[in-house]
Amino acid sequence: MSAMPNLETRTTVENGLVFMRDVAVTMSDGVTLRANVFRPEAPGRYPVVMAMGAYGKDVHFEDAFNPQWQVLKRIYPGLDTEGSTGRYLRWEVVDPERWVPEGFVVIQVDSRGTGRSEGYLDPFGPVETRDFYEWIEWAGTQPWSNGKVGLIGVSYLAIKQWQVAALRPPHLAAIVPWEGSSEFYRDGGHHGGILSNSFTFEWWPRQVLANQYGSGKSTHRDRLTGERTTGPALSDELLEGSRADHPNDRLSHPLDDAWNRARAANLPAIEVPLLSAANWGGPGMHLRGNFEGWLRAGSRQKWLFAHIGTHYESFYLPHYVAIQQRFFKHFLAGEDNGWDREPPVQLAIRHADGTAEMRTEQEWPLACTAWTPFHLDAADGSLGDVPPRGAGRASFEAMGEGLSFSTAPFAQDTEFTGPAVLRLWVSSSTTDADLFVVLRVFDPDGQEMSYVGAHERVPMAMGWLRASHRKLDPARSLPWRPWHAHDEVQKLVPGEAYPVEVEIWPTCLVFPKGWRLVLTVQGHDFIVTPPGRMRHDHPEDRPVAEFGGVTTVLTGGDHDSRLLMPLIPARR
């Protein structure tokens, strides 16, 4: 074992900011976790904003996520030169130099088994969530705290917010889950019952194991001290025995079983005010979670905010930081700044050219929605206003090109904002079939448009379903959002037709006059820019013998396959 680095709390003061490094708190089971605490130098009691995650509280954003850093710097050159030196910037957490001067204490906690925190590493697990509860209660009772703690962060750090808020820590006063899934199985692990493997299997070694507590192989160094950010170097055997095998845990739990449910947030139990920030361009993981989290959370005071742009610019740009701080100043500091009178739904209405304009609403889905069916016709590949006159069928090789169905050019500017559903009749040459459903945008010249996504270019919207997971939970399904039970596998009889409902994640787009909506149904991932970040291609989850067959779509007659779209009438 290498020499033990200094893990005692070290405090520095600079430009009115007190930096307490490696603050240690012992959990109820005796394991010690550590955090960095940033607070104003002036004596007083301040509101606290906090995050817990696995990416290393001492790992600089630029060092761990250099490509994203370069993109963000191009978008926002003042990130580390205007109002901040950037020295404390970490991936997906707030910049202390922009928050402490506004009267906040900022706390960044290394989750159990990561960074400088000891213990068994089990991402998103219930023990990690209990740790977060204990940290919130610690922060709420410190002499520099006003007793009100808010949570903020992106992705992993947003998922943890949904989870711990459901436990109702007494000192938790508000949360801002920014682009973070709330339904562990449906949002991230298994889309429509199909394992979302590429992110998990690549994320695990790159973003988690690289930050495991005791990793002597980690290349991450604290820029301010030169020390390894993962504490003392431990043996490979000890490291392996000190962590779960998260990717294979995902693979070995293909249904929404007890393991998955233990990691799902109990959304109705959440009571604190919340601001749920969704990204229209994040269809592979978090988009659904922010909408469902807002819908199902028990909070009386809750706001839904949907934006465009990359995963990181939509958190760090000054406009968004101002929104976050205004929300917290109201609910943590008691400032009467009018936030409580803000409309509960604020949406960036996307246009076909990739621009957007903000619009406020009172509910989601929008009360004015005209739920409009577009009927599939296998004979001519159309999406029509009325069912086709006759029955039809069309087939595709599951691993090859799929089928596409197009509307006529729209006669006027046409807005779709909301969730969508594909009600499809389908058969397979095998005992199962995976359906990858895509909403696409084409201009009058036949040129397809794609959009800036959270991490890569994306189509208008996507949805997924494994046919053997078609069973619905009638108590939780809605006409505009089917809820699949995912509690049993119902194999297909080859050649027999079955009705299925595919949930298409929320979307928003205004089609100009003359543009077309195209629905594509295929048996593999739709990727705009290869290789794609959110792939579903694990050979154990999708053996070719079963998922490489021929899929047939039936339309018309007794098999009225139709796409239900959220048409928003023109506003005068």
Side-chain angles (χ1 to χ4, degrees):
M1 180 181 296
S2 65
M4 175 74 76
N6 184 358
L7 295 186
E8 296 299 320
T9 299
R10 288 165 283 175
T11 302
T12 58
V13 181
E14 184 177 348
N15 297 326
L17 183 150
V18 178
F19 175 24
M20 303 166 63
R21 183 197 308 271
D22 286 329
V23 175
V25 174
T26 301
M27 300 293 98
S28 55
D29 63 356
V31 172
T32 298
L33 308 188
R34 292 178 173 84
N36 288 341
V37 177
F38 305 84
R39 58 182 178 83
E41 182 181 9
R45 293 182 176 272
Y46 300 95
V48 177
V49 292
M50 175 184 285
M52 173 183 279
Y55 301 153
K57 65 179 177 60
D58 300 313
V59 182
H60 196 275
F61 185 147
E62 184 180 12
D63 296 339
F65 296 89
N66 189 266
Q68 292 87 346
W69 173 269
Q70 299 303 329
V71 171
L72 183 54
K73 279 287 290 178
R74 288 197 296 272
I75 297 171
Y76 179 23
L79 176 68
D80 57 349
T81 60
E82 300 173 4
S84 173
T85 66
R87 71 180 66 187
Y88 305 122
L89 276 165
R90 308 291 184 258
W91 175 247
E92 299 184 335
V93 297
V94 301
D95 181 355
E97 290 184 286
R98 298 188 185 278
W99 283 74
V100 172
E102 293 294 323
F104 294 96
V105 174
V106 174
I107 302 179
Q108 300 169 355
V109 186
D110 277 337
S111 60
R112 180 177 293 238
T114 71
R116 314 275 270 194
S117 291
E118 303 166 6
Y120 187 81
L121 171 57
D122 183 15
F124 310 114
V127 174
E128 183 185 70
T129 305
R130 184 196 67 196
D131 291 340
F132 205 178
Y133 180 109
E134 295 185 24
W135 269 98
I136 292 167
E137 291 308 289
W138 175 86
T141 56
Q142 297 308 298
W144 34 255
S145 170
N146 73 350
K148 292 188 177 182
V149 178
L151 307 181
I152 186 171
V154 187
S155 189
Y156 193 120
L157 301 102
I159 295 170
K160 295 309 303 180
Q161 293 179 54
W162 296 115
Q163 292 176 319
V164 75
L167 301 183
R168 300 177 181 172
H171 287 92
L172 181 62
I175 62 173
V176 180
W178 201 278
E179 296 189 37
S181 62
S182 59
E183 176 66 37
F184 187 78
Y185 179 90
R186 291 166 180 81
D187 296 343
H190 291 76
H191 297 141
I194 308 168
L195 177 68
S196 178
N197 59 281
S198 68
F199 176 78
T200 298
F201 280 72
E202 294 166 9
W203 163 83
W204 179 246
R206 182 182 68 247
Q207 292 179 229
V208 181
L209 295 190
N211 289 300
Q212 185 179 3
Y213 175 78
S215 173
K217 297 178 181 178
S218 175
T219 60
H220 295 315
R221 296 293 183 272
D222 187 328
R223 285 188 175 187
L224 302 180
T225 68
E227 296 172 355
R228 185 186 301 113
T229 61
T230 51
L234 305 177
S235 68
D236 290 344
E237 293 77 15
L238 190 55
L239 289 171
E240 186 173 356
S242 299
R243 65 182 182 239
D245 187 351
H246 187 74
N248 283 303
D249 283 342
R250 295 263 199 181
L251 179 63
S252 60
H253 292 276
L255 296 176
D256 192 15
D257 57 11
W259 185 85
N260 280 293
R261 296 312 305 162
R263 290 155 177 78
N266 179 12
L267 295 172
I270 297 175
E271 294 181 330
V272 296
L274 70 90
L275 170 60
S276 178
N279 187 336
W280 292 124
M285 181 177 292
H286 300 316
L287 173 63
R288 179 186 187 276
N290 280 109
F291 279 91
E292 283 293 324
W294 181 84
L295 277 167
R296 295 171 52 216
S299 306
R300 290 185 301 105
Q301 295 176 293
K302 55 185 180 180
W303 285 263
L304 176 65
F305 179 75
H307 56 263
I308 62 172
T310 66
H311 189 53
Y312 27 96
E313 76 182 79
S314 59
F315 184 70
Y316 290 102
L317 290 183
H319 168 68
Y320 298 104
V321 173
I323 291 171
Q324 299 156 10
Q325 291 183 348
R326 183 175 168 223
F327 175 81
F328 278 139
K329 284 181 178 180
H330 179 76
F331 287 109
L332 303 186
E335 185 175 300
D336 184 12
N337 57 20
W339 182 274
D340 55 328
R341 298 182 291 278
E342 284 286 336
V345 176
Q346 303 180 18
L347 308 175
I349 304 301
R350 291 194 300 179
H351 292 272
D353 62 359
T355 62
E357 57 188 21
M358 292 303 300
R359 191 172 75 205
T360 61
E361 301 285 354
Q362 294 299 316
E363 69 289 303
W364 179 269
L366 307 188
C368 65
T369 305
W371 297 103
T372 303
F374 291 87
H375 303 270
L376 283 66
D377 189 344
D380 62 6
S382 65
L383 281 174
D385 297 337
V386 297
R389 293 183 177 180
R393 62 174 57 213
S395 301
F396 61 92
E397 298 281 346
M399 298 301 178
E401 294 297 319
L403 300 174
S404 290
F405 302 84
S406 176
T407 66
F410 291 116
Q412 60 188 10
D413 290 358
T414 302
E415 178 186 339
F416 297 107
T417 295
V421 184
L422 176 61
R423 297 187 168 101
L424 191 70
W425 281 87
V426 65
S427 69
S428 174
S429 63
T430 69
T431 59
D432 214 337
D434 282 346
L435 301 171
F436 295 77
V437 174
V438 192
L439 301 185
R440 304 164 68 185
V441 181
F442 285 81
D443 70 12
D445 297 325
Q447 180 70 36
E448 182 172 8
M449 301 296 293
S450 63
Y451 300 93
V452 173
H455 295 282
E456 59 188 334
R457 296 199 70 84
V458 294
M460 175 183 174
M462 292 191 286
W464 305 262
L465 182 65
R466 176 158 290 173
S468 62
H469 284 233
R470 64 192 179 278
K471 176 184 174 183
L472 295 174
D473 180 343
R476 303 181 77 172
S477 291
L478 297 167
W480 44 266
R481 196 265 289 123
W483 188 280
H484 296 92
H486 297 299
D487 60 359
E488 65 174 313
V489 174
Q490 299 178 338
K491 292 294 187 180
L492 309 180
V493 174
E496 186 172 324
Y498 296 86
V500 301
E501 295 198 18
V502 183
E503 175 187 4
I504 300 175
W505 287 13
T507 188
C508 172
L509 198 81
V510 179
F511 285 77
K513 176 182 177 180
W515 289 50
R516 296 180 296 119
L517 168 67
V518 172
L519 166 73
T520 293
V521 181
Q522 58 189 36
H524 60 85
D525 285 301
F526 182 90
I527 298 172
V528 176
T529 306
R533 193 166 186 267
M534 301 287 179
R535 301 190 310 278
H536 308 71
D537 55 7
H538 196 287
E540 292 183 42
D541 182 65
R542 303 189 70 222
V544 174
E546 187 162 28
F547 294 96
V550 175
T551 304
T552 300
V553 172
L554 297 87
T555 66
D558 294 333
H559 303 106
D560 182 21
S561 294
R562 62 195 185 277
L563 173 67
L564 185 67
M565 290 293 293
L567 177 66
I568 305 302
R571 305 190 178 198
R572 299 186 183 277

